[in-house]
Amino acid sequence: MTDPAMGADDALLIVDVQNDFCAGGALAVPDGDAVVPLANALARRFPIVVLTQDWHTPGHASFASTHGRSPFETIDLAYGCQVLWPDHCVMGTDGAAFHPALDVPNAQLIVRKGFHPSIDSYSAFVEADHATPTGLAGYLRERGVTRLFVAGLATDFCVAWTALDAAKAGFEVTIIEDACRAIDLEGSLEAAWKNLAAAGVKRAQTAAIGGA
Ligand SMILES: [Zn+2]
C-alpha cells in the first residue's frame, strides 16, 4: 500500500541492486546486501518505483581487462577519466541479475545503463559522456514526478551520479542514506556527499520516510 504521506508525484529509484554488487559478486560493495530489505520496504510506500540495472556489453570500456590494466586504475577515455573496474554486470549474466531477495513487484520501469560498449554510465539519467540521455528524465516528467528518492548501490558512484543528474534535471532529490552502501575508493564517499550537498540533494533515513 502506498503511504499516504507520499504523494502521486513522489518516485523511488532503486539503483543497481544486482548480484555483482552484492556479497560474492564481481564488484561487491561492502555490506551491499544490507540495502535489500530496506529497498523492499521502501518500495511499498511509493506510488512510482523505478529500478536501474547496470548492463554492460562483454569487453566494455569500463572493464580493466579490456585495456590490459588492473581494476581500480584510471584511464583517459574519449569522454574523460574513467575508473577501471573488474568485469561486472555483463548483460544477460547472473551477475547482472537483480539480487534474488529484491522483492519489488510494483516496480514499473527498469532502466538499463552502460550498454554502449564505449561509454560507461554511473548515472541513470545521462551516460558518462555527459551527453547521452537514458530517457529517464522524460519518463518521470511525463508521469508528473517532482520528488525523487534514491536508494541502492553504490552511494559514491551510481547513486551519487544519478542524484546529481536528477537535481540538474529539476527534480527535488533525497538520498535515503541507510538504504545505500558505498565503495569508498580513495575518498570518493566524502567527495560525493560534498558534491551532493552543493547540488541541494537532501539526505534522509528510511525510518523518517516511513519505510521500515
Ligand atoms: Zn558498471
Side-chain angles (χ1 to χ4, degrees):
M1 292 298 290
T2 299
D3 189 310
M6 308 313 285
D9 56 351
D10 291 324
L12 175 68
L13 186 60
I14 301 174
V15 176
D16 295 4
V17 182
Q18 294 166 260
N19 288 329
D20 269 344
F21 295 129
C22 294
L27 180 44
V29 177
D31 201 29
D33 302 60
V35 308
V36 175
L38 295 173
N40 291 346
L42 282 162
R44 283 156 176 77
R45 309 297 173 120
F46 281 84
I48 298 175
V49 181
V50 175
L51 305 179
T52 75
Q53 206 169 16
D54 211 34
W55 197 254
H56 298 308
T57 52
H60 190 260
S62 72
F63 297 167
S65 64
T66 301
H67 307 278
R69 301 278 292 273
S70 299
F72 311 111
E73 290 181 15
T74 57
I75 191 172
D76 285 324
L77 296 182
Y79 53 80
C81 184
Q82 170 72 47
V83 178
L84 295 174
W85 305 105
D87 291 24
H88 65 279
C89 297
V90 174
M91 46 180 65
T93 64
D94 283 348
F98 290 116
H99 188 290
L102 187 68
D103 177 26
V104 187
N106 61 319
Q108 296 144 13
L109 178 73
I110 297 170
V111 177
R112 288 173 168 167
K113 60 188 180 62
F115 52 78
H116 289 122
S118 60
I119 316 175
D120 203 5
S121 192
Y122 296 150
S123 166
F125 288 89
V126 183
E127 297 190 25
D129 61 357
H130 301 292
T132 307
T134 64
L136 179 57
Y139 173 86
L140 294 174
R141 279 193 203 109
E142 286 201 6
R143 296 208 55 200
V145 171
T146 59
R147 293 202 304 173
L148 188 65
F149 294 77
V150 188
L153 304 170
T155 319
D156 42 344
F157 287 92
C158 293
V159 169
W161 287 48
T162 293
L164 289 170
D165 280 344
K168 214 179 285 178
F171 298 101
E172 185 186 323
V173 188
T174 303
I175 290 180
I176 307 169
E177 194 174 355
D178 58 327
C180 299
R181 288 296 183 279
I183 295 175
D184 203 10
L185 206 59
E186 294 174 11
S188 57
L189 182 59
E190 194 187 337
W193 281 125
K194 206 172 157 190
N195 293 336
L196 290 160
V201 173
K202 298 176 194 168
R203 292 156 84 150
Q205 303 297 317
T206 299
I209 57 173

